[in-house]
Amino acid sequence: MKKRLFAVVLGFGLLTTSILSVSAQENEPGHDRMAADMNMKAAVQQQVKSDMKLTLNGKPLQLDESYLIDNSLFVPYRAFAEGIGSEVGYDAATQTVTVKKDAKTVKLMIGSSEANVDGAKVSMVGPAQLINSSTFVHSRFLAEVFGIKVLYDETTRTVNLVSGGTSGSGQEVAKTYYVNIEGFAFKEGDITVEAGSTVIFTNKDKAKHNAVADDGSFQTALLAMGESESVTFAKPGEYTYFCEPHKDFMKGKITVK
C-alpha cells in the first residue's frame, strides 16, 4: 500500500514537472515576441522627424524628409548622396547601398553599423535603416567620408555642408567662407579669399538683409532670418558691398587674390 502510494505521488510529481516544463516552453516565444515588440516600439520612438535645414556650400539641399535618431541626423541616402555629387546604387539581394564619389566607394548594408570604405571596415554611430520604405543613413558620416565638413548652426537649426581642401581625386577644391549678418552688421565682413572661392552670407537678424556689390557684380536676395545665399568670386579684385535696406551703416569688403 505504501509502495503504491509512493508510486502515485511520484507519478503525479513527474506529471506536474512535465506540465510546468511544457508550459514554460510554450510561454518563451510569447516573451520573446513581447520583448521584440517592446524593442521595436522603443526604436520607433527614437525616430523623430527633423525640421533641420541642410545646405551645401550655402545652397539648400532638397530632401523630402529627415529624422533624428539618438540625436543623430539620418537622411534618405539617394537624395543626399546625389545632392553632394555622388553616384548611387542599390543591391536588393544583399540590401547594400553603394555610394561613389571621385575615387572613393562606400558600401552600407541595411541594419549594419559597419561601412565598407574602399575595402576597409569603418564603424558608424548607427546602421543604415529603412524608414517608410526608404533607406536612411547617417548624414555626418556620409559627408565626412567624402571630405565634406559638417557645421551646425543651432540658432537657425541648419546643417551646413562645406566642401573644401582637395577632392578624392587629388584636385584642389575651391574654399568656402562665411559672412554672418548679425546685429545689423556684416560680422567679419572684411575678408580676403582666393579666386574661385565661395562666400556664404547668412542672416541671423529678425530684420531682412542682403549683400549688394558697389560695382553691381553681385546682389543677394533679401534674406530672412536663417536664410543663406552664396556668391562665387572668380576674378581677383576688391569688392565693396552694402546692405540695401541699411546702406548707410552696413558695409563690407571682400578682397580676392
Side-chain angles (χ1 to χ4, degrees):
M1 181 69 179
K2 288 182 179 179
K3 288 183 180 179
R4 286 180 189 158
L5 181 60
F6 177 77
V8 169
V9 171
L10 179 61
F12 180 77
L14 290 174
L15 178 60
T16 305
T17 304
S18 176
I19 291 172
L20 289 174
S21 176
V22 171
S23 177
Q25 288 177 358
E26 287 176 348
N27 284 339
E28 250 180 35
H31 287 304
D32 288 345
R33 284 195 296 270
M34 186 180 297
D37 290 342
M38 289 175 67
N39 290 337
M40 187 176 294
K41 287 178 182 177
V44 170
Q45 288 173 351
Q46 291 171 358
Q47 296 173 1
V48 180
K49 196 164 186 179
S50 173
D51 61 351
M52 290 182 184
K53 294 173 288 186
L54 287 91
T55 66
L56 177 62
N57 294 333
K59 296 180 180 179
L61 195 60
Q62 299 299 332
L63 303 175
D64 289 337
E65 58 184 357
S66 60
Y67 288 85
L68 284 174
I69 301 176
D70 291 337
N71 294 321
S72 296
L73 184 65
F74 278 67
V75 293
Y77 93 95
R78 182 175 292 275
F80 185 83
E82 290 178 346
I84 63 175
S86 305
E87 297 178 7
V88 298
Y90 178 68
D91 185 344
T94 60
Q95 290 193 313
T96 300
V97 169
T98 302
V99 183
K100 295 181 180 179
K101 181 176 171 62
D102 299 322
K104 191 179 292 294
T105 300
V106 178
K107 293 185 178 182
L108 309 169
M109 184 179 293
I110 293 175
S112 174
S113 293
E114 276 192 345
N116 185 308
V117 182
D118 291 335
K121 291 183 178 180
V122 179
S123 296
M124 303 182 293
V125 299
Q129 52 196 281
L130 288 174
I131 302 176
N132 298 331
S133 301
S134 296
T135 303
F136 282 70
V137 298
H138 185 214
S139 59
R140 179 178 288 274
F141 172 81
L142 198 56
E144 291 182 341
V145 77
F146 290 113
I148 298 174
K149 292 182 180 180
V150 180
L151 304 173
Y152 177 58
D153 187 338
E154 189 173 359
T155 59
T156 61
R157 291 185 61 76
T158 301
V159 176
N160 296 302
L161 306 176
V162 183
S163 60
T166 57
S167 67
S169 60
Q171 297 178 332
E172 191 70 21
V173 178
K175 293 182 179 180
T176 302
Y177 296 85
Y178 288 85
V179 173
N180 290 325
I181 306 171
E182 190 173 5
F184 286 81
F186 295 104
K187 298 292 185 180
E188 299 180 356
D190 294 353
I191 57 175
T192 300
V193 305
E194 301 81 5
S197 296
T198 297
V199 176
I200 300 174
F201 296 91
T202 301
N203 181 23
K204 296 189 175 183
D205 280 345
K206 291 183 179 180
K208 289 187 176 182
H209 300 292
N210 66 355
V212 182
D214 287 313
D215 64 3
S217 58
F218 69 85
Q219 178 174 345
T220 71
L222 276 173
L223 304 173
M225 185 177 182
E227 292 183 338
S228 300
E229 187 168 330
S230 62
V231 177
T232 300
F233 294 85
K235 297 180 180 179
E238 287 190 354
Y239 299 84
T240 56
Y241 63 95
F242 59 92
C243 171
E244 197 169 19
H246 314 100
K247 57 185 176 184
D248 292 336
F249 57 91
M250 285 186 64
K251 298 180 181 181
K253 182 174 71 172
I254 296 173
T255 301
V256 183
K257 292 185 176 181

